[in-house]
Amino acid sequence: AAMIHDFAITRNYAVVPVFPAVTSLASIRRGRIAEWQPEKGASVIVMNKDGDTASLRRFELPVGYVYHYANAYEDGKAIVVDAI
């Protein structure tokens, strides 16, 4: 399971990043909440805030990790997320 640390909300969408910080019972037994597994890739899931799962879209990202988001908004058809 990926460790989802934060997410972003716009007027119409929920934006959930999925980075390769992976948690498991084995990692917890080793004293780690999560372990870095870049081979799992990274992505962002976007869906309408009304909860319609048919609207769910997944976009692949370069492997990386973002802890917190400062802002998110829609600019025309684009979703902009300000990240720290």
Side-chain angles (χ1 to χ4, degrees):
M3 183 182 79
I4 307 297
H5 183 77
D6 201 358
F7 63 96
I9 298 288
T10 70
R11 180 178 303 274
N12 297 296
Y13 299 98
V15 182
V16 181
V18 181
F19 297 119
V22 178
T23 190
S24 66
L25 286 176
S27 65
I28 291 169
R29 287 185 183 120
R30 288 190 289 274
R32 300 180 181 137
I33 294 171
E35 295 180 331
W36 189 246
Q37 296 181 5
E39 67 279 3
K40 301 236 183 232
S43 61
V44 63
I45 296 169
V46 177
M47 70 180 280
N48 290 343
K49 282 189 347 187
D50 66 9
D52 176 16
T53 57
S55 73
L56 191 134
R57 294 187 63 196
R58 185 179 192 122
F59 300 92
E60 298 301 315
L61 299 173
V63 173
Y65 197 88
V66 176
Y67 283 98
H68 293 287
Y69 303 92
N71 190 31
Y73 59 94
E74 297 165 41
D75 184 8
K77 291 185 178 184
I79 296 174
V80 179
V81 179
D82 296 326
I84 300 170

